[in-house]
Amino acid sequence: MKIIQQKDTDNLLNFIQNHDFFFVAGHKEPDGDCMASCVGIASILDHFKKPYQLLSAGPFKRNEIKEFEPLFSDTMEFQTQNERDKTGLIITDCSEISRLGEIDGDLKGFDTFIIDHHKTSDTQDDAENKLSFVDSQSPACAIIIQQFYEKLVGPLPKDLAETIFFGFCTDTGYFRFIDDTQSESISCASRLVEYGANPKKTYQKINSGKPYSTRKLLGILLSRAERYLDGKLVITYETMNDTKQYGQEGRDSDALYQLLLSSEGIEAAVFLRQESDNSCTGGFRSQDKIDVSIVASKFGGGGHKNASGMSCEGRVENLIPQIIKEFARIM
């Protein structure tokens, strides 16, 4: 992962100093890393006594991030044109306004600073008013924010260290997805523990308190899983009836991916969900060598080499053959 340089710190500091108000936003259907990154930016703005509003389109489906929901709004504060001219937009854990989802208000046209770690990050649109720090080798956006905080403010207070460590752990599968190019991230995590983060409590926060209905749904998804491409790819799916019966609260797709990828011979796993009659979302996970972001990008998504997602029009039964075809190109 990249080590933040003085010029990177200066870019963010100048951006903060040159604006009077900020909108801070992360991607729709937020996860722990997205929430932690936004809160980390808010803490930096607090230090410089800059007002801001945290924005998220939600929905806050994951049980472990429910506590963050009251901090965010899906409706922008009203601003006059003069106020908009002095406002900066900081986007964390994604790079495209389209990925922010349905937020009530116009987010286009602001001076923008992007902090992201996704391999498929795209910061080219409206490049004339965008600054960015994107590190696809960082296992979590939260520890990029950590480094900015340390350089601009100093050691993290205990509550912020706990939040950043939580974000780091959710995006790394509690260290499972860290490879030999990301050893510096372990140093960042170590400092967070020194600041007061508790690894045991963080693990319990991420993995405890799941609704019993999610265990029932997990069994159904496992029974529905099918293997393809000589057993190297496994795909399962959730129907609209499943969602109606078991709800959307406390989703635990991470447990599903763990179980599927721990099976002998499986190198990649796909989980599709029929969101409406004509739209689907999907999650892609893989072992070390398969780059699932390549496949996700074919369906309007993206992400990391070993963890990506997508949202597109279509039905599960039609998407599965297309997904298999794209995986056949890289497996």
Side-chain angles (χ1 to χ4, degrees), residues 180-198:
D180 55 7
T181 69
Q182 300 164 330
S183 59
E184 180 61 30
S185 65
I186 301 298
S187 297
C188 291
S190 177
R191 294 199 301 276
L192 292 172
V193 174
E194 291 176 3
Y195 299 146
N198 186 312

Side-chain angles (χ1 to χ4, degrees), residues 118-155:
H118 291 96
K119 182 178 180 181
T120 52
S121 173
D122 180 7
T123 60
Q124 298 306 308
D125 294 341
D126 300 323
E128 68 275 3
N129 69 336
K130 283 187 180 179
L131 292 170
S132 65
F133 183 90
V134 178
D135 178 13
S136 62
Q137 292 301 312
S138 177
C141 188
I143 59 170
I144 299 176
I145 307 298
Q146 173 192 348
Q147 293 178 78
F148 274 120
Y149 189 100
E150 289 171 328
K151 290 183 178 294
L152 289 171
V153 183

Side-chain angles (χ1 to χ4, degrees), residues 21-25 41 45 51-55 75-79 84 87-91 106-107 110:
F21 185 85
F22 296 87
F23 291 115
V24 180
I41 287 294
L45 294 175
Y52 58 85
Q53 184 186 21
L54 294 174
L55 296 173
T75 303
M76 295 170 59
E77 294 183 10
F78 173 78
Q79 291 185 317
R84 285 179 65 89
T87 293
L89 170 64
I90 301 178
I91 300 176
D106 183 9
L107 282 169
F110 290 113

Side-chain angles (χ1 to χ4, degrees), residues 78-98:
F78 173 78
Q79 291 185 317
T80 64
Q81 186 57 53
N82 185 55
E83 289 171 330
R84 285 179 65 89
D85 292 341
K86 299 175 182 178
T87 293
L89 170 64
I90 301 178
I91 300 176
T92 68
D93 202 32
C94 74
S95 300
E96 304 86 15
I97 287 180
S98 61

